[in-house]
Amino acid sequence: MPSSPDHATDETPTLGASVPPLREWASTYLIGMFMGSADAVPGVSGGTIALIVGIYERLITAITAVTPQAVLGFLKALTPLDGGVSVRRAEAIFDDVDGWFLLTLLLGILTAVIVVTRIITVLNESAPVVLYGFFFGLIAASAVVLLRAISIRTVSAGVAAVAGFLLAFVMSGQAEELFGGGLGLVFVAGTLAVSAMILPGLSGSLILVILGQHARLSETLSDFVNGLAGLVTGGSVDTLVEPGTIVVTFIGGGLIGLFTISRAVRYALNRNREVTLAFLVALVVGALRAPVATVRAEVGFSPDVLITFLGVSIVGAVVVLALDYYAADFEIEEI
């Protein structure tokens, strides 16, 4: 007696068939590591790294393909809610959004972010002048690089540039005083930072510096990872509650930003490139106040501090200029 066809062929697990070979997986993971390292410091963009290694177009295409409809369709295909479980349908949707590529890249980014933020936390406590001097150099060189990409020929572009500069300058070091340091600010920080991370030349961490959340979130992520590691050795779940709440809030904001604001920025660039670029680049210039204000508040500027600050700034600037050399052909207006 022949077996009933039912959903037999549809239910056959085939998701593994689309898994890339190990070499491709390792390459994508390594690129993610480089992108995550760049995204964790202000002034350097993971988008620039993606551009240098030649995956930027693929990344933007994959992110754009991840829509609420695609996510819902994938989840439905793996539940009996829509005509039965269908691994084949789930696989098709997963492949349509280049799922293995995004998943592997994200894993590499997260690994690097965890490592780099731990280093930043240590430096913030032991050598803030070195840390923020390096940040200043990164931001300053990024501003120089980006200023080459803009031309202010209209009144509206000039107004946008002034608005962007004043917004970043006023907000730098004062965001918590203006808006409080609660979860609302963390959510907004995630929304804006992740949106900026995918744009070449614009750093998501720069947004965190402007909002005064970079050091806080670096320390929180380190505490969260330590708490997870502690569970293995019998630690308490209670230690995860506070940092976990902040991390989840930031990730939630980041997901919203990735699929909304990032699209809006790309739309604005395509609709009125000159005005949008003038505003975005002016944000970078205005943000130069943030590391200076932090060092002044925490240490003060003695002659020795100033020499160290400027010396490390030069190192940071060289890093950005070297990256710009290899990404010299990028056109932000084509995003």
Side-chain angles (χ1 to χ4, degrees):
M1 181 176 177
S3 60
S4 171
D6 231 3
H7 293 288
T9 57
D10 206 28
E11 294 173 351
T12 304
T14 61
L15 199 55
S18 62
V19 177
L22 180 61
R23 183 173 181 177
E24 182 181 341
W25 183 90
S27 173
T28 303
Y29 178 79
L30 186 61
I31 291 171
M33 288 276 289
F34 284 122
M35 288 180 63
S37 299
D39 282 328
V41 295
V44 185
S45 169
T48 300
I49 301 298
L51 199 70
I52 292 172
V53 298
I55 66 161
Y56 188 75
E57 184 177 352
R58 182 180 181 184
L59 173 62
I60 294 300
T61 300
I63 291 174
T64 305
V66 180
T67 62
Q69 293 81 3
V71 173
L72 188 60
F74 179 80
L75 295 176
K76 280 185 175 180
L78 295 177
T79 65
L81 299 176
D82 189 21
V85 174
S86 174
V87 176
R88 288 187 183 277
R89 272 192 295 124
E91 178 186 4
I93 295 171
F94 196 72
D95 286 344
D96 283 343
V97 302
D98 210 352
W100 287 115
F101 167 74
L102 284 178
L103 216 56
T104 308
L105 195 70
L106 180 61
L107 183 60
I109 290 173
L110 288 176
T111 302
V113 166
I114 289 171
V115 173
V116 174
T117 52
R118 186 173 293 272
I119 295 172
I120 289 173
T121 299
V122 172
L123 287 176
N124 186 54
E125 295 174 354
S126 61
V129 177
V130 173
L131 176 66
Y132 287 99
F134 185 68
F135 285 177
F136 183 87
L138 294 174
I139 297 169
S142 294
V144 170
V145 169
L146 289 170
L147 282 170
R148 301 199 315 246
I150 68 170
S151 57
I152 300 177
R153 297 169 296 183
T154 63
V155 173
S156 56
V159 170
V162 171
F165 174 82
L166 290 177
L167 177 63
F169 189 84
V170 171
M171 292 283 287
S172 294
Q174 300 187 54
E176 290 198 4
E177 288 78 5
L178 293 172
F179 302 105
L183 292 179
L185 182 58
V186 173
F187 184 85
V188 171
T191 302
L192 298 177
V194 174
S195 301
M197 281 178 181
I198 63 171
L199 297 175
L202 299 175
S203 167
S205 288
L206 177 66
I207 302 297
L208 299 183
V209 168
I210 293 174
L211 295 176
Q213 299 299 298
H214 193 276
R216 175 193 180 186
L217 289 171
S218 296
E219 183 177 352
T220 298
L221 181 59
S222 293
D223 290 344
F224 181 68
V225 172
N226 289 339
L228 287 176
L231 289 180
V232 180
T233 57
S236 172
V237 178
D238 294 341
T239 60
L240 288 174
V241 174
E242 184 177 351
T245 301
I246 295 174
V247 169
V248 170
T249 301
F250 180 83
I251 292 174
L255 290 174
I256 296 296
L258 186 61
F259 301 117
T260 56
I261 292 182
S262 60
R263 284 175 165 83
V265 171
R266 288 198 296 274
Y267 173 80
L269 283 167
N270 292 330
R271 184 70 182 269
N272 197 326
R273 170 185 174 268
E274 184 178 348
V275 171
T276 306
L277 273 182
F279 178 80
L280 293 175
V281 174
L283 281 177
V284 179
V285 178
L288 283 168
R289 179 191 177 195
V292 175
T294 302
V295 172
R296 181 183 290 117
E298 293 187 6
V299 181
F301 275 104
S302 66
D304 288 344
V305 168
L306 183 59
I307 291 171
T308 301
F309 185 88
L310 292 177
V312 181
S313 295
I314 293 173
V315 176
V318 169
V319 170
V320 172
L321 294 175
L323 287 173
D324 176 63
Y325 175 80
Y326 288 103
D329 295 330
F330 89 79
E331 296 291 341
I332 195 170
E333 66 268 25
E334 294 179 359
I335 296 172

